[in-house]
Amino acid sequence: MEKKQALQCVVLFVCISASWIRVESLGNGLGLTPQMGWNSWNHFGCNINEKLIRQTADALVSSGLANVGYKYINIDDCWANYNRDKWGNLHGNDATFPSGIKALADYVHSKGLKFGIYSSAGTRTCSGRMPGSLGYEKQDAKTFASWGVDYLKYDNCNTDGSAEKQRFPVMTQALRASGRNIFYSMCEWGYQEPAKWGAEVGNSWRTTTDIKDTWSSMLFNIDIC
């Protein structure tokens, strides 16, 4: 039974990933093989802080996972202050990331790992606890690049009602102009069939809803993949 379950997990990952491992949509040399690493959302949700991220980076190295390809440490939602500053810039949450996001990215890089961050193609992110990047794509992309971000997960909450095919490519262009190669992970949930157009926009595109820590959730996503 355990062998069968493991095989099904592999099938799920291949189903999500196989369509894009052969493309180089942004011309940035990224996404040629499946991205592997750690993301904070599934287990921790909004309960994240810089200590947790540093400890996770340490664990990825000490466990040996980094040596076999698990390179990304990706912060999900809730990393930023509730509002932008007076110049419209994003900043790490003063309470949970007091050292700032650049210092955290520098620490992750010092471990030989890559650093990822999160935003949404809407006015707020999915938690509602921080601003999204809609209308601020160029500014945010430059901010991410200045911090040393290697990966952007771009969600689809609190939109203005415009089509995904209109909003997501704006961030594509912003990342291209940011001065840094940043992996672009489109989190569009599969509603607009991104497998048919994602190769023109991002390095990877999500085709399902959230995967929860349950077997039924895994099976559900396998079936709709």
Side-chain angles (χ1 to χ4, degrees):
M1 183 62 180
E2 291 180 354
K3 184 175 181 180
K4 180 180 179 182
Q5 291 176 345
L7 178 59
Q8 288 174 322
C9 289
V10 171
V11 169
L12 172 64
F13 191 76
V14 170
C15 184
I16 293 173
S17 306
S19 61
W20 53 262
I21 61 176
R22 296 182 298 274
V23 302
E24 190 181 342
S25 54
L26 297 183
N28 58 12
L30 305 175
L32 302 182
T33 59
Q35 69 274 39
M36 299 195 300
W38 177 89
N39 178 281
S40 61
W41 185 256
N42 187 272
H43 183 76
F44 294 100
C46 282
N47 298 316
I48 56 174
N49 55 61
E50 64 182 44
K51 181 180 179 181
L52 169 68
I53 306 306
R54 288 172 182 257
Q55 289 176 336
T56 302
D58 293 343
L60 213 61
V61 173
S62 64
S63 66
L65 287 170
N67 288 333
V68 293
Y70 290 85
K71 295 293 188 181
Y72 286 101
I73 296 288
N74 292 347
I75 305 177
D76 210 277
D77 204 347
C78 307
W79 59 266
N81 281 330
Y82 187 82
N83 292 312
R84 295 173 180 272
D85 68 17
K86 63 181 180 180
W87 297 283
N89 296 312
L90 292 171
H91 291 279
N93 186 286
D94 293 329
T96 52
F97 294 89
S99 300
I101 303 302
K102 185 181 187 308
L104 187 57
D106 289 345
Y107 183 83
V108 170
H109 291 150
S110 76
K111 298 293 179 177
L113 303 171
K114 297 182 178 181
F115 181 76
I117 212 163
Y118 166 97
S119 189
S120 180
T123 56
R124 308 288 299 177
T125 60
C126 292
S127 70
R129 296 191 187 186
M130 58 174 278
S133 292
L134 185 64
Y136 290 87
E137 291 89 351
K138 289 183 179 179
Q139 187 168 355
D140 289 354
K142 289 182 179 179
T143 296
F144 298 153
S146 72
W147 288 343
V149 167
D150 302 299
Y151 187 113
L152 173 65
K153 175 185 172 183
Y154 204 46
D155 222 330
N156 196 30
C157 288
N158 296 304
T159 74
D160 59 359
S162 59
E164 285 78 2
K165 291 182 182 180
Q166 175 181 336
R167 285 178 289 109
F168 278 83
V170 178
M171 183 56 79
T172 305
Q173 297 301 321
L175 293 175
R176 281 175 173 158
S178 71
R180 183 176 178 84
N181 284 343
I182 298 176
F183 190 107
Y184 186 22
S185 174
M186 295 167 42
C187 187
E188 184 271 351
W189 314 327
Y191 292 165
Q192 298 297 316
E193 299 183 298
K196 295 181 179 179
W197 51 274
E200 302 172 0
V201 180
N203 291 117
S204 71
W205 45 92
R206 181 166 156 179
T207 60
T208 70
T209 58
D210 279 0
I211 296 176
K212 299 179 180 178
D213 190 16
T214 64
W215 185 236
S216 61
S217 174
M218 294 289 289
L219 290 177
F220 175 81
N221 281 283
I222 289 173
D223 288 340
I224 67 172
C225 184

